[in-house]
Amino acid sequence: MFLDSLLTRNPELADAAADLHRRGEIPPDTYVMDLDAIEANAALLAAEADRLGLSLWFVVKQLGRNPELIRAIARHIPRYAAIDPPEARTLHAAGAAAGNLGHLVQIPRRALPEMLSWRPETVTVYDLDNARAVSEAARELGFVQDVLIRLEGAPGSVYPGQEGGVPLTGIDGFAAEVEQLPGVRIAGVTAFPCVLCDPATGAPAPTPNFELALKARQALAARGHTSLKLSAPSATSLATLPLLAELGATHGEPGHALTGTTPLHAHDLTQPEKPAYVYVTEVAHTLADGRPAVYGGGFYPRSGIRTALLPRTGERLRVRSAPAENIDYYRLLDAPAPDAGVQVGDTALLAFRTQIFVTRSTVAVVEGLASGAPRLRGLYDAQGRALR
């Protein structure tokens, strides 16, 4: 999906990744991350958001929750949105400031004292029970916590496994209950996804959830709530920040834009964010019909993966499709030309949409590509723990 973009706009990363693998410094099933490009992308996003009067909370699930990358991003976008408690703990330990907790995954009530003690800007609540739990924990800590109300998504717009939230028709009744809780204050609304890119063109557009969030905020304003936030996550990038500002959002949540890998970046190679990672694996064995099998572990069902580059021979081979329900022990490529000479151990480079935190991959952080002096800073697992 992103191999053309990577080879056109950041060939130094592809070369460095292949060299690291050839020398045995990284194993197959490794995402190589360009630290300098990610920090530069964060700086671009921060500057544009500031120009438009928007605030940003950065997201790192797709980056493997990596502490090196977190610190680089936080130098420009200080606050994060953590999608679940393990991610929140990694972000907090790396020194970033808590922006929004509880979205996409609610904070377990036994973890609330720990995480509210970090004084997050907001906590997202899906229902009254969670609002009560946040209120009780905040009262025990001696303060009032701002909360965002998560809206139930429009029909057909919610991904399986992400159900929940307050229906728009119930927003007044829900708000009336929350207003009675002494430990929380209604600070705004959120929904997911609020923006999506067209699969065919990459063009971003608001989803029906954005309109639901706007109507919910209007209803809360009519009840006397002021300075209400509206966080509109998904596909936040330099291309969509003007759209968020125009439609009335106050917050965006860049994730894939930090690595130049939103669907728009696959279609438009002129987007400002630079592609900043490449997936490295190697040929494990060859089938009797000539198709090479490469080591898996880092493939993601919604990746949009298309081709793999074998740097030793320069050949681009199509990646065969695989059922999402299967474990990716290997991934098959099309058979190469008969005289290509593909060998076991050959490096394969791929670039596709990923969510590293759900893989079993290694993450390698590289710096110095722009200056022509690449250096491997370290290896980490997919949850951000240092390997060496």
Side-chain angles (χ1 to χ4, degrees):
M1 184 176 183
F2 297 108
L3 193 53
D4 288 335
S5 175
L6 174 75
L7 296 175
T8 300
R9 300 199 54 213
N10 199 351
E12 298 85 3
L13 175 57
D15 292 342
D19 187 58
L20 286 169
H21 178 257
R22 180 185 58 79
R23 292 189 280 111
E25 293 193 38
I26 61 173
D29 183 25
T30 294
Y31 284 94
V32 181
M33 318 297 291
D34 184 341
L35 177 67
D36 301 332
I38 289 170
E39 181 163 0
N41 290 340
L44 288 173
L45 287 157
E48 178 66 359
D50 186 63
R51 185 185 74 82
L52 294 167
L54 291 168
S55 297
L56 297 178
W57 295 321
F58 71 93
V59 179
V60 295
K61 62 189 175 75
Q62 74 287 347
L63 301 178
R65 300 170 171 173
N66 188 275
E68 297 259 20
L69 305 180
I70 290 168
R71 285 189 284 269
I73 296 164
R75 284 193 280 271
H76 306 276
I77 307 172
R79 292 187 176 273
Y80 62 80
I83 65 108
D84 63 15
E87 183 163 293
R89 291 187 178 101
T90 300
L91 285 152
H92 178 72
N100 184 30
L101 303 181
H103 189 216
L104 301 165
V105 178
Q106 292 286 269
I107 305 171
R109 70 173 55 216
R110 293 172 185 85
L112 281 168
E114 171 198 6
M115 296 189 177
L116 294 190
S117 72
W118 306 339
R119 298 306 300 267
E121 189 176 345
T122 62
V123 171
T124 294
V125 293
Y126 280 49
D127 60 16
L128 195 54
D129 283 344
N130 277 278
R132 289 189 181 114
V134 173
S135 177
E136 291 168 7
R139 279 196 74 194
E140 291 180 5
L141 291 168
F143 62 87
V144 175
Q145 174 63 56
D146 279 358
V147 296
L148 297 183
I149 300 172
R150 156 73 177 243
L151 272 297
E152 182 181 67
S157 71
V158 179
Y159 300 123
Q162 296 184 22
E163 299 87 353
V166 179
L168 179 62
T169 55
I171 195 71
D172 274 307
F174 183 83
E177 295 277 4
V178 174
E179 288 161 3
Q180 303 306 308
L181 300 176
V184 293
R185 185 186 77 89
I186 294 173
V189 296
T190 189
F192 189 87
C194 289
V195 177
L196 287 178
C197 295
D198 184 283
T201 66
T207 72
N209 295 332
F210 208 137
E211 182 64 23
L212 288 177
L214 289 167
K215 289 179 178 178
R217 185 171 64 176
Q218 291 171 357
L220 294 173
R223 296 184 63 85
H225 296 281
T226 59
S227 303
L228 290 167
K229 298 176 173 65
L230 193 164
S231 184
S234 188
T236 304
S237 68
L238 281 156
T240 63
L241 288 176
L243 176 67
L244 299 189
E246 178 186 348
L247 293 179
T250 62
H251 288 68
E253 300 183 15
H256 278 289
L258 295 164
T259 50
T261 54
T262 76
L264 180 59
H265 291 83
H267 292 273
D268 182 357
L269 305 192
T270 68
Q271 287 301 303
E273 298 97 335
K274 190 175 185 178
Y277 68 72
V278 62
Y279 182 66
V280 182
T281 186
E282 71 180 61
V283 176
H285 59 275
T286 302
L287 276 60
D289 61 7
R291 288 178 294 166
V294 298
Y295 291 103
F299 294 99
Y300 175 63
R302 295 170 55 211
S303 63
I305 190 168
R306 293 172 186 165
T307 62
L309 171 67
L310 277 59
R312 188 181 66 81
T313 65
E315 194 159 18
R316 287 271 291 265
L317 299 178
R318 186 172 70 90
V319 180
R320 304 295 292 247
S321 61
E325 62 268 22
N326 285 27
I327 299 171
D328 62 331
Y329 296 107
Y330 304 103
R331 195 69 182 264
L332 291 176
L333 310 181
D334 274 356
D339 59 349
V342 172
Q343 301 171 2
V344 168
D346 274 352
T347 304
L349 301 181
L350 303 93
F352 49 85
R353 186 172 178 85
T354 190
Q355 298 284 341
I356 295 176
F357 82 111
V358 299
T359 73
R360 57 186 189 274
S361 302
T362 298
V363 176
V365 178
V366 175
E367 67 176 354
L369 291 172
S371 63
R375 181 173 76 90
L376 178 63
R377 287 183 63 102
L379 297 178
Y380 299 82
D381 70 11
Q383 302 302 318
R385 295 177 289 252
L387 300 176
R388 66 174 171 87

